[in-house]
Amino acid sequence: MSFQNPVFIPGPTNIPDRLRKACDMPTIDHRSSLFADLLHPAREGVREILKSKTAEVFIFPSTGTGGWETALTNTLSAGDTVLAARNGMFSHRWIDMCTRHGLKVDIVETPWGHGISAQRYKEILARDTDYKIKAVLATHNETATGVVSNISAIRNALDETGHPALLFVDGVSSIGSMDFRFDDWGVDVAVTGSQKGFMLPAGLAIVGFSGKALAATETAGLPRTFFDIRDMAAGYANNGYPYTPAVGLLNGLNESCQMLLDEGLDNVFARHHRIAEGVRRAVHAWGFDLCAASVDLYSDTVSAIRTPDGFNATQIVTHAADVYGTAFGVGLGDVAGKVFRIGHLGSMTDVMALSGIATAEMCMADLGLDIELGAGVAAAQAFYRQGQTATHKKAA
Ligand SMILES: *Cc1c(COP(=O)(O)O)cnc(C)c1O
């Protein structure tokens, strides 16, 4: 690996200098007012990025996985039923966590490459007339397959059936990069981490709780200590934590929110969409398909690319690391060896994406795939030039 090259894995993402500096702090007393001055703005910044007026934001020294656990253990009791779709490695792992906590999971098995079927959810919710289902789980962006699901449609499934279940959304690889609407979508718990859209090192679990989810903590029976949001809320009320906070990362988070909000969320989302579309043009120029089964499912943060049958896609990732010092993502679980992934989220520009596309082409050609060097790059260039022209016109 080279420390000069950007990474093209879908998290951890590239860390801008501004954020590396923000994380690099002298020790401060986390019981002093100095700490309060970075804790509360960081929480407020996250709330804005979630597009929420009311969400309570909690930040744990952990990772996205700890955010899943925070959602489950604070709101549910052993034996409760949750509804979840399995369409990739991350949704699979969240389901596994539910099972290990003694929850019953009503699983909607979904082909990898497809999104959550709101229609199936609706049918199941409609049949659940005695409201056994206490929570509905949705992975907004399935990072293993590069598939985005329609959370608004899942909200409608709940509303149209009048079902009172909580809605938990894994936004680990979407929040801060793709549009996420906590309030409009009636999300009860949103989960993310520091190392994807927020462009920071791993180390924070970031969650937003609705009023309804907060109320559920009073009756939830699952054991919890480290992730108990009541302790965390009590800490925040005193400008502190129930234990030692990750001060540097929180300072970084505060700065990251500023960067995203200064760029403007719509601009951030448009940038991710443009970069992703250039990558997709390249993939199609290579003659390959995405794992995502249709255009409406395409993720703007990660592309999982199917390689020809009989070819082990993981070779591309190994070769890129060994020969070109560049990181791509391997296929996970059911699609291991069948896809490789280009992560294009966080601190990413058109120019960086072009270097990733060019490197992927070299790897594929080296490994004997029928790739014309430059074909994908040219397709992406043509697309990015249109985007730049439009931007220049706007600026002028
Ligand atoms: C990365 C990721 C996770 C896991 O987060 P960790 O920070 O690795 O614990 C969960 N869900 C999705 C969709 C992810 O992309």
Side-chain angles (χ1 to χ4, degrees):
M1 279 295 148
S2 155
F3 288 122
Q4 283 294 302
N5 294 334
V7 295
F8 298 97
I9 46 178
T13 61
N14 299 294
I15 308 173
D17 278 352
R18 179 170 160 191
L19 296 187
R20 285 176 49 194
K21 286 178 184 146
C23 293
D24 182 1
M25 274 184 78
T27 304
I28 62 164
D29 179 1
H30 60 274
R31 301 186 196 284
S32 70
S33 61
L34 215 52
F35 178 65
D37 291 344
L38 63 93
L39 168 66
H40 296 303
R43 296 176 61 222
E44 190 51 45
V46 170
R47 197 207 325 263
E48 266 189 65
I49 286 165
L50 293 176
K51 293 196 176 169
S52 178
K53 296 224 176 337
T54 55
E56 277 296 326
V57 173
F58 300 100
I59 304 164
F60 294 88
S62 181
T63 69
T65 304
W68 286 343
E69 189 158 327
T70 303
L72 303 179
T73 58
N74 281 283
T75 57
L76 301 170
S77 302
D80 281 354
T81 301
V82 302
L83 174 61
R86 175 156 50 201
N87 65 335
M89 198 60 187
F90 292 93
S91 42
H92 165 71
R93 285 181 46 213
W94 202 7
I95 288 168
D96 176 56
M97 178 185 277
C98 291
T99 310
R100 293 205 224 172
H101 276 95
L103 301 169
K104 294 192 192 104
V105 191
D106 197 336
I107 303 174
V108 179
E109 295 293 353
T110 304
W112 288 35
H114 289 250
I116 302 169
S117 166
Q119 184 56 34
R120 279 292 291 139
Y121 270 20
K122 188 174 169 186
E123 287 159 17
I124 293 165
L125 291 167
R127 277 205 308 271
D128 183 39
T129 46
D130 48 359
Y131 303 147
K132 279 209 169 57
I133 296 169
K134 300 297 180 209
V136 171
L137 274 52
T139 300
H140 183 207
N141 188 73
E142 186 32 274
T143 319
T145 56
V147 163
V148 64
S149 284
N150 185 340
I151 304 302
S152 165
I154 295 170
R155 176 76 261 166
N156 290 341
L158 281 156
D159 290 349
E160 284 161 17
T161 52
H163 200 293
L166 295 162
L167 174 59
F168 298 165
V169 182
D170 173 342
V172 180
S173 61
S174 60
I175 289 169
S177 312
M178 284 156 55
D179 197 13
F180 191 95
R181 303 176 177 223
F182 189 95
D183 286 358
D184 286 359
W185 297 343
V187 175
D188 291 300
V189 183
V191 175
T192 188
S194 50
Q195 80 277 25
K196 298 193 181 170
F198 288 107
M199 308 169 282
L200 294 165
L204 298 177
I206 301 163
V207 297
F209 269 61
S210 71
K212 188 171 158 190
L214 285 174
T217 62
E218 296 309 321
T219 50
L222 282 179
R224 57 195 188 273
T225 48
F226 189 83
F227 292 117
D228 197 323
I229 60 164
R230 294 170 304 182
D231 295 340
M232 193 56 94
Y236 291 166
N238 287 312
N239 297 325
Y241 259 57
Y243 34 71
T244 315
V247 175
L249 283 172
L250 282 165
N251 195 49
L253 182 62
N254 190 8
E255 196 72 17
S256 167
C257 292
Q258 281 308 314
M259 277 180 76
L260 292 166
L261 295 169
D262 286 351
E263 184 177 351
L265 289 181
D266 287 344
N267 295 331
V268 171
F269 304 150
R271 172 169 56 83
H272 279 82
H273 180 72
R274 188 184 67 244
I275 292 170
E277 184 57 27
V279 172
R280 294 190 281 260
R281 301 271 172 122
V283 170
H284 293 133
W286 297 332
F288 294 166
D289 289 323
L290 291 160
C291 183
S294 56
V295 174
D296 55 311
L297 299 172
Y298 289 171
S299 163
D300 283 342
T301 59
V302 54
S303 296
I305 299 149
R306 286 191 189 278
T307 52
D309 286 345
F311 179 85
N312 179 4
T314 302
Q315 279 184 274
I316 296 171
V317 178
T318 312
H319 187 83
D322 292 349
V323 178
Y324 299 111
T326 298
F328 295 106
V330 294
L332 301 171
D334 285 5
V335 291
K338 296 181 183 150
V339 306
F340 76 103
R341 293 175 300 154
I342 300 182
H344 33 72
L345 74 161
S347 180
M348 185 63 61
T349 63
D350 300 2
V351 170
M352 287 159 85
L354 285 170
S355 76
I357 295 165
T359 307
E361 286 183 349
M362 290 194 285
C363 295
M364 292 189 286
D366 292 349
L367 294 165
L369 287 174
D370 184 17
I371 292 286
E372 188 195 329
L373 287 177
V377 173
Q381 283 170 323
F383 182 73
Y384 293 150
R385 287 184 69 218
Q386 290 172 17
Q388 290 310 327
T389 312
T391 314
H392 289 317
K393 273 191 191 138
K394 215 167 114 193

